[in-house]
Amino acid sequence: MAQRAIREYDGKALFSKHWEDYFSGFHYSFKSVLVKSKDELNAKAKEHGFEWLRNEPLVAKPDMLFGKRGKNNLVLFKKDKPGDVDLATAADWIGQKGSHTTTLLSGQHGVLTHFIVEPFTPHSQEQEYYISATTVGEDDVLYMSVEGGMEVEEGWEEKVNEVTIPINMSDIDINHAIRSNIPSGIPADKKEEFISFAEQFFRFYRDMNFAYLEINPIVFLDNNELAILDLVARLDDTAGFMMSEKWGDIEYPTAFGMEDQSPEERAISEADAKSGASLKLTILNPTGRIWTMVAGGGASVVYADTIADFAEANGGSVGDLANYGEYSGGPTTGETKFYAETVLDLMTRHKDSKGRDKILIIGGAIANFTDVAKTFTGIIQAIEVYAEKMKEHNTKIYVRRGGPNFEKGLKDIKEAADRLGLYIEVYGPETHVTDIVRMALEK
Amino acid sequence: MGALFTKDTQAIFWNNNKSAIQRMLDYDFTIQREKPSVAAIVAPTSGGNFDKYFYGPEEIMIPTYKTTKDAAKEHPSADVLLNFASFRTAYDVTMEAIGIKGQFKTIMVTAEGIPERMARGMNQAARDAGIVVIGPATVGGIAPGAFKIANVGGTIENIVNSKLHRAGSCGLVTRSGGLFNELSNIISINADGIAEGVAIGGDRFVGSVFIDNLLRMESNPQVKYMVLLGEVGGTEEYRVIEAVKSGKIKKPIIAWCIGTIAKHFATGVQFGHAGASANADAETAGAKNKAMAEAGIYVPESFNSLPEKIEEVYNKLKKDGVIEEIAEPVLKEVPSNRRSKNFICTISDDRGEEANYCGVPISKVATPDTGYSIGDVMALLWFKKKYPKWASQFIETVVKTVADHGPAVSGAHNAKVTARAGKNITDCVISGILTIGPRFGGAIDGAAKYFKYAKEKNLSPQEFLGYMKKEGIPIPGIGHRIKSVRNPDLRVSGLKKYAAEFFPKTELLDYALEVEKLTTSKKDNLILNVDGCIGCLMVDMWHSLDYNEDEIDRFIEAGALNAFFILGRTIGFIGHALDEKRLAMPMYRHPWDDILYQIDEAEEL
């Protein structure tokens, strides 16, 4: 992963934390709380510094990475008329929304668990603007529009001005490019203010290593007061090692509707974080028939591709593919064993619904430097533990691998399977990398 | 444009990655390169000046440097940087290399997960400087039969099996490093191997992209057709399509984008690399495969049928006479059992017909008619160089000047006492030499070191005296027991006269004489003595012979200057020992009355 979405609350907190360093001439009062429940909101309202939750009209909405919350009717800003939401109303709304599954217009569904609550900001449509920045191709692009709010995406071409900013552009040239592309609809008396904000916004986006940053709308209130009404942000998490101080503790939530990681997936990603090697596991269908243990990122993709192709061509479906993942970068025997045990354990939990045999693909391209015999030692140890269960599921094993010491690795795994009474077919570099999928599925 | 690498291409390897470097050298040996493909290693934290590697059955030494700049200076023709720094430092290493004007043509960056903004900045800077960046997040590339980057191709057995040891006809470009090997294998089974191949890297922002590499291959006559393995995500394949449509690329391309699986899963599952995620329909593998096929690129039905497609195109090109049969070259075999040597010798060799000193047979230096003097032999064995006459004669002058200084100095005295104890010449010489050190004869190193330091720091003589006073060290090479300005040391006069006549320049001696003016104005006997004079003139000699400051500093650190004194004075020690033997003097016992005895009774604790 490289670009990862963060919560609206965390994005605003970043603005607030660095406001003085970036946004001279403007004020931003960061009044915002992130809560998981009604009770949490009520408790927060009793804390010092959060008196506004009791004293001001509020806005509440889910903070779970998805957009179009207005269109999904998930922004609470009025009971009868805009600006009449008090703490009790907001708390009840959160309690109610968090109690059942919500389905979005996009079809994504899940239970709402995180809400952001802020003061209601009275303003006029004329005070709303749109601004965002992201990377397109090799360049950064700054988008600005005089029209903020939900409607900006319709008629994007006419409403939004784009400024392309190459990576090595100087600050002076950046300022010049922004100034000469400023949306023409901005009133004369607001123009300098907006230019100044846009320049500072871009620098903030750049220096904080955002991959995407959008405020829609940004509201220009009186007295140089700014209100960030809605914010979407993604960070380039590869910059994390040098941004830890500036970012602080940032959480990367899973997308709404995506189930949280299973304990097995979490265990593998924790092992991955601790290891110099790479270990990845995603469960696509826990009751799927075809399980894979593939070495290498590229190879794992072509195996998944090929399994989908042949499953569909042979009376099955993509749903037969149970997992996606890979191990690479020279994992230790212990790491490989743990990875294999995790996959084998998942594979032997459910019988195939149509009573078919289970298929285990132990695949991989020709390794550059990974010792194949060594990684296979870990897989063999795991197979020894799960042999009986694998037999209960009529597991057929197909192996294909090349690279340093592959002859020994293939011989060892064949011997082990034969000794344990498991069905196995073993192939080396002379066989096309994904051809074992055809062999397994055309039977 | 044309070929990315040739059989003469040499690289500077950043990070002493032993297995990767050894794999490159094994490859070099196998394909019989003349020079190893790694010219130098940058190892910022290592202490040594070189590291040992195998070249076939033998070991060779590859120089190591602390910085890329130093390595580049010493190896101006090494135009490839293999940047094996971690994701934390890879950016800085690349930017430094780009800044060394005119050095690098290609920089390969292996680190995965360099911050995107830095990767973009680095890629742009390289593009502006006309440097090809391979990576980041790549295993590299290969020009079979010429140059192989690091771990590409894996083991030597696999390299030979995949025909990566000699140029074939295919130009291969992939994103994935793991599948690069696999594709090389497929191409060797179904065609005649590859002529050049690059894995461009898996990160979102990589330096050279598909089109850059394919255009170069289009211009490389060795490449007859190309295989491109793309991936879901991004739009780079469309630039290839444009080039095919516009006729910029005329050679046949066989292409496939992996990641067709992604269409079955809405969002959230990351298939493959960081760069591999479709943000629009056009970025899906299926759409790209379709668009490529429509542009006339050879696209198989699936990845699994890619081998047949390659075979088909290859056979067609062969039938048309575009591709000719390739003669298989003879390969050298890397021995499986190699032992690292415990000792290294770089100055003499006794294994051939005749033993030699630094490549010069002994018979070519021994007799007077060869023109070689003792000074020349010293230059060969001590400094591995043939010195000009003025320098080797200076060396001899030094040796002669310090050969002896009478029986009373500590070394000579020791030699005499040892001889009188009935010991042999070896013992006598050793006992004499053992007294050589900071108080006897050892001031040459110190004088060279401190005067050189002061000169380099541009200290005025006054500042230099202040500095030494602060350090609490008497200036080595200044002062004599008897000799003074009015009663000069004629040895020093002789050396100065020789230098004035024959040295191209004597900058350090001139500086030392300025210092002497100041010290002798304080006290008449604080003259530049013979140690100081030799120390300064040695440094002047090396400067005139174009040694750099580092090399001279290393000589001083190693104690090479005191060595002149040790060698010269040994002549005197042997003389004194022989003198004692000749005189048959009895055992020496020092007289009681010359010793001050003061013995207090030991206190009980």
Side-chain angles (χ1 to χ4, degrees):
Chain A
M1 279 294 211
Q3 304 195 347
R4 302 182 77 177
I6 60 169
R7 291 194 198 281
E8 177 173 0
Y9 174 84
D10 286 333
K12 287 177 174 173
L14 276 182
F15 268 95
S16 167
K17 184 174 175 183
H18 301 283
W19 192 267
E20 295 304 321
D21 297 334
Y22 281 91
F23 297 96
S24 68
F26 297 100
H27 309 294
Y28 170 55
S29 47
F30 176 55
K31 283 184 183 171
S32 192
V33 292
L34 179 72
V35 295
K36 294 199 205 73
S37 66
K38 176 180 178 169
D39 292 347
E40 204 182 324
L41 179 64
N42 285 326
K44 200 84 198 169
K46 294 191 184 105
E47 282 181 27
H48 177 66
F50 294 92
E51 293 79 6
W52 56 268
L53 281 167
R54 280 174 280 141
N55 305 335
E56 295 182 35
L58 302 176
V59 176
K61 56 193 176 180
D63 189 359
M64 301 182 68
L65 309 189
F66 62 83
K68 299 194 168 59
R69 287 168 295 189
K71 289 188 177 165
N72 278 294
N73 205 17
L74 287 173
V75 182
L76 174 73
F77 65 101
K78 65 171 181 179
K79 220 162 34 172
D80 302 317
K81 59 179 190 345
D84 65 353
V85 174
D86 61 6
L87 179 65
T89 315
D92 285 345
W93 187 80
I94 287 170
Q96 192 256 329
K97 289 288 170 200
S99 66
H100 57 79
T101 300
T102 300
T103 303
L104 306 180
L105 296 171
S106 65
Q108 286 165 279
H109 55 89
V111 176
L112 299 174
T113 53
H114 289 75
F115 300 88
I116 181 170
V117 181
E118 299 178 324
F120 177 81
T121 309
H123 64 278
S124 65
Q125 175 68 37
E126 288 72 45
Q127 289 172 305
E128 287 192 356
Y129 297 90
Y130 174 90
I131 192 159
S132 72
T134 188
T135 315
V136 176
E138 293 283 314
D139 303 320
D140 290 303
V141 180
L142 178 70
Y143 300 95
M144 301 171 291
S145 173
V146 70
E147 256 183 78
M150 286 196 275
E151 309 307 327
V152 71
E153 283 181 25
E154 277 125 48
W156 177 267
E157 298 288 324
E158 302 88 67
K159 289 178 187 167
V160 177
N161 283 26
E162 295 184 15
V163 189
T164 298
I165 299 169
I167 183 77
N168 54 358
M169 200 182 225
S170 70
D171 278 7
I172 292 170
D173 289 345
I174 291 172
N175 289 353
H176 179 76
I178 293 172
R179 177 172 288 274
S180 49
N181 282 287
I182 217 74
S184 55
I186 296 182
D189 63 325
K190 285 281 173 201
K191 202 170 156 191
E192 285 307 315
E193 213 179 313
F194 188 86
I195 290 171
S196 161
F197 175 72
E199 288 168 359
Q200 302 186 65
F201 173 86
F202 182 78
R203 264 193 290 286
F204 179 68
Y205 153 84
R206 181 187 67 189
D207 295 359
M208 289 293 143
N209 283 283
F210 281 100
Y212 184 81
L213 182 61
E214 177 191 64
I215 307 178
N216 181 29
I218 175 92
V219 177
F220 283 69
L221 301 163
D222 296 336
N223 304 321
N224 297 322
E225 185 80 25
L226 292 181
I228 299 172
L229 289 201
D230 195 316
L231 176 143
V232 181
R234 288 201 303 271
L235 291 171
D236 167 20
D237 80 340
T238 54
F241 73 91
M242 53 183 196
M243 297 300 291
S244 55
E245 209 167 290
K246 292 203 163 129
W247 287 352
D249 267 337
I250 287 271
E251 179 202 3
Y252 301 108
T254 34
F256 177 68
M258 289 286 297
E259 276 167 48
D260 278 342
Q261 283 190 319
S262 69
E264 293 79 16
E265 289 168 318
R266 208 174 308 127
I268 295 295
S269 81
E270 276 162 18
D272 179 51
K274 280 186 220 133
S275 167
S278 167
L279 302 168
K280 302 272 173 344
L281 176 66
T282 305
I283 299 167
L284 300 172
N285 175 12
T287 62
R289 175 193 177 209
I290 306 163
W291 292 78
T292 61
M293 243 183 302
V294 177
S300 67
V301 178
V302 294
Y303 273 99
D305 286 356
T306 310
I307 289 168
D309 291 348
F310 280 97
E312 285 185 329
N314 290 281
S317 73
V318 174
D320 290 341
L321 176 58
N323 72 319
Y324 171 78
E326 59 112 1
Y327 64 93
S328 59
T332 63
T333 301
E335 286 166 346
T336 322
K337 178 174 186 246
F338 174 70
Y339 186 84
E341 281 183 340
T342 307
V343 172
L344 295 180
D345 190 63
L346 288 162
M347 183 179 81
T348 52
R349 284 185 194 175
H350 309 278
K351 288 269 184 199
D352 182 63
S353 58
K354 294 177 192 158
R356 295 171 298 181
D357 300 339
K358 285 268 165 75
I359 291 169
L360 175 63
I361 300 279
I362 300 176
I366 300 166
N368 284 306
F369 51 84
T370 299
D371 184 323
V372 173
K374 215 165 90 189
T375 53
F376 272 23
T377 306
I379 296 178
I380 292 166
Q381 287 170 1
I383 291 177
E384 281 167 350
V385 176
Y386 282 88
E388 288 313 310
K389 279 189 163 177
M390 288 168 77
K391 276 188 244 173
E392 285 169 29
H393 289 259
N394 300 322
T395 307
K396 291 193 163 138
I397 309 171
Y398 291 83
V399 183
R400 193 280 186 182
R401 187 78 161 120
N405 230 349
F406 80 92
E407 295 95 336
K408 182 175 186 307
L410 295 181
K411 187 169 144 273
D412 289 352
I413 202 164
K414 173 92 170 77
E415 273 173 12
D418 290 347
R419 170 165 50 83
L420 297 163
L422 289 159
Y423 182 93
I424 192 164
E425 292 186 30
V426 169
Y427 302 92
E430 72 291 344
T431 301
H432 182 42
V433 54
T434 50
D435 217 31
I436 54 168
V437 174
R438 183 189 58 77
M439 298 176 196
L441 293 180
E442 278 188 350
K443 280 206 172 144
Chain B
M1 293 272 264
L4 188 58
F5 304 122
T6 71
K7 213 167 178 171
D8 297 320
T9 300
Q10 279 197 306
I12 292 172
F13 204 111
W14 203 100
N15 216 356
N16 196 350
N17 186 324
K18 302 221 177 219
S19 62
I21 294 171
Q22 187 59 60
R23 284 200 172 113
M24 288 180 73
L25 298 176
D26 285 349
Y27 184 77
D28 296 346
F29 180 78
T30 304
I31 64 166
Q32 307 191 39
R33 267 180 66 112
E34 265 174 36
K35 281 185 291 183
S37 55
V38 179
I41 297 164
V42 182
T45 53
S46 92
N49 303 320
F50 65 86
D51 207 349
K52 288 191 299 175
Y53 281 93
F54 285 108
Y55 200 71
E58 297 301 327
E59 277 182 303
I60 56 168
M61 297 178 348
I62 299 187
T64 59
Y65 300 89
K66 293 239 185 273
T67 68
T68 313
K69 221 166 142 192
D70 292 346
K73 208 170 121 204
E74 295 299 319
H75 304 274
S77 64
D79 60 6
V80 177
L81 179 75
L82 302 178
N83 177 353
F84 270 66
S86 80
F87 65 91
R88 290 164 196 271
T89 44
Y91 170 82
D92 294 331
V93 171
T94 304
M95 291 306 279
E96 192 204 353
I98 292 170
I100 305 171
K101 298 278 176 259
Q103 178 81 25
F104 296 110
K105 285 191 192 135
T106 310
I107 298 176
M108 174 268 193
V109 186
T110 190
E112 183 176 344
I114 296 173
E116 293 185 348
R117 199 157 280 285
M118 290 179 150
R120 286 163 59 204
M122 157 183 117
N123 294 342
Q124 188 57 48
R127 243 170 260 141
D128 293 345
I131 294 169
V132 175
V133 169
I134 302 178
T138 182
V139 65
I142 187 169
F147 181 87
K148 172 181 112 80
I149 292 177
N151 291 312
V152 169
T155 57
I156 278 290
E157 298 79 41
N158 186 64
I159 282 169
V160 175
N161 284 338
S162 301
K163 299 204 171 75
L164 288 171
H165 58 284
R166 54 104 182 107
S169 318
C170 178
L172 172 63
V173 191
T174 70
R175 204 173 236 292
S176 154
L179 288 179
F180 181 88
N181 251 0
E182 193 62 45
L183 267 287
S184 303
N185 180 49
I186 292 171
I187 294 164
S188 75
I189 292 172
N190 297 283
D192 65 358
I194 66 172
E196 184 179 301
V198 173
I200 65 166
D203 273 1
R204 190 184 177 94
F205 298 99
V206 292
S208 70
V209 292
F210 294 140
I211 186 68
D212 302 326
N213 287 290
L214 290 174
L215 285 174
R216 189 187 58 251
M217 289 169 181
E218 175 76 16
S219 75
N220 179 352
Q222 221 165 18
V223 174
K224 311 295 183 196
Y225 68 101
M226 282 86 91
V227 169
L228 164 67
L229 191 72
E231 214 170 75
V232 55
T235 55
E236 286 302 330
E237 289 83 355
Y238 291 98
R239 294 175 65 190
V240 178
I241 291 173
E242 281 311 308
V244 170
K245 282 184 177 165
S246 69
K248 271 196 196 156
I249 295 179
K250 292 195 179 68
K251 293 176 183 173
I253 301 178
I254 304 157
W256 180 253
C257 278
I258 66 170
T260 52
I261 182 79
K263 69 169 179 277
H264 298 289
F265 298 91
T267 46
V269 186
Q270 172 80 25
F271 289 99
H273 297 112
S277 169
N279 296 315
D281 280 349
E283 295 185 22
T284 62
K288 291 199 273 194
N289 285 329
K290 187 159 169 280
M292 290 195 292
E294 282 166 6
I297 292 172
Y298 294 93
V299 178
E301 268 178 37
S302 67
F303 178 80
N304 206 51
S305 57
L306 180 60
E308 289 98 77
K309 191 55 92 183
I310 292 171
E311 194 181 12
E312 176 196 319
V313 173
Y314 170 74
N315 283 337
K316 187 179 173 299
L317 291 172
K318 204 158 178 211
K319 198 165 135 256
D320 296 346
V322 178
I323 294 175
E324 288 164 19
E325 202 64 43
I326 291 173
E328 294 295 337
V330 182
L331 296 178
K332 277 205 211 166
E333 200 171 323
V334 173
S336 54
N337 255 328
R338 294 185 287 198
R339 212 168 55 90
S340 183
K341 304 280 198 287
N342 281 313
F343 279 95
I344 304 172
C345 173
T346 68
I347 59 164
S348 63
D349 192 344
D350 59 341
R351 292 171 305 172
E353 192 71 8
E354 188 189 352
N356 66 59
Y357 302 155
C358 250
V360 183
I362 296 179
S363 61
K364 291 272 188 297
V365 300
T367 51
D369 57 306
T370 61
Y372 274 82
S373 66
I374 277 286
D376 293 314
V377 171
M378 287 169 67
L380 284 177
L381 290 175
W382 289 19
F383 307 115
K384 300 171 55 178
K385 293 271 160 48
K386 290 178 186 166
Y387 278 6
K389 211 75 224 167
W390 66 265
S392 58
Q393 279 183 348
F394 174 67
I395 290 175
E396 282 188 18
T397 307
V398 170
V399 171
K400 288 190 275 184
T401 305
V402 301
D404 196 45
H405 207 238
V409 296
S410 66
H413 178 77
N414 257 21
K416 286 172 83 69
V417 171
T418 309
R420 287 176 65 169
K423 306 298 291 279
N424 62 30
I425 297 288
T426 312
D427 297 341
C428 298
V429 170
I430 290 169
S431 77
I433 286 175
L434 283 176
T435 67
I436 297 176
R439 294 180 184 174
F440 173 51
I444 303 179
D445 278 335
K449 179 177 161 186
Y450 284 107
F451 279 108
K452 182 169 180 296
Y453 172 83
K455 177 91 181 15
E456 269 168 31
K457 292 276 175 221
N458 274 324
L459 300 183
S460 71
Q462 190 67 54
E463 286 167 334
F464 178 41
L465 295 193
Y467 169 78
M468 295 303 284
K469 196 168 178 188
K470 216 172 103 215
E471 293 285 295
I473 311 167
I475 304 171
I478 290 283
H480 197 279
R481 201 170 51 87
I482 307 158
K483 299 292 177 185
S484 65
V485 183
R486 272 157 297 152
N487 172 22
D489 185 336
L490 293 179
R491 296 175 300 172
V492 175
S493 309
L495 289 165
K496 287 202 290 204
K497 184 165 166 276
Y498 180 85
E501 194 169 339
F502 296 104
F503 273 44
K505 54 187 180 188
T506 56
E507 285 167 347
L508 195 59
L509 179 70
D510 299 345
Y511 178 74
L513 293 175
E514 289 301 309
V515 174
E516 184 189 43
K517 272 187 203 160
L518 197 67
T519 52
T520 49
S521 72
K522 295 179 186 210
K523 210 167 168 216
D524 199 38
N525 68 343
L526 291 180
I527 53 163
L528 183 68
N529 62 30
V530 71
D531 291 352
C533 183
I534 292 171
C536 292
L537 282 175
M538 279 290 171
V539 173
D540 282 331
M541 174 184 81
W542 281 321
H543 272 141
S544 297
L545 295 173
D546 276 342
Y547 284 90
N548 67 32
E549 303 298 341
D550 279 356
E551 290 170 309
I552 297 174
D553 288 343
R554 278 202 292 272
F555 286 151
I556 296 172
E557 282 306 308
L561 292 162
N562 274 359
F564 289 100
F565 184 81
I566 295 166
L567 177 71
R569 191 51 60 91
T570 298
I571 298 171
F573 293 157
I574 292 171
H576 287 291
L578 291 175
D579 200 26
E580 289 292 350
K581 300 277 177 195
R582 187 164 45 236
L583 296 167
M585 292 293 285
M587 173 71 178
Y588 176 74
R589 186 188 169 90
H590 203 69
W592 282 317
D593 59 6
D594 190 36
I595 297 169
L596 170 69
Y597 290 94
Q598 188 194 324
I599 313 301
D600 297 329
E601 197 177 325
E603 204 180 327
E604 203 163 309
L605 296 175

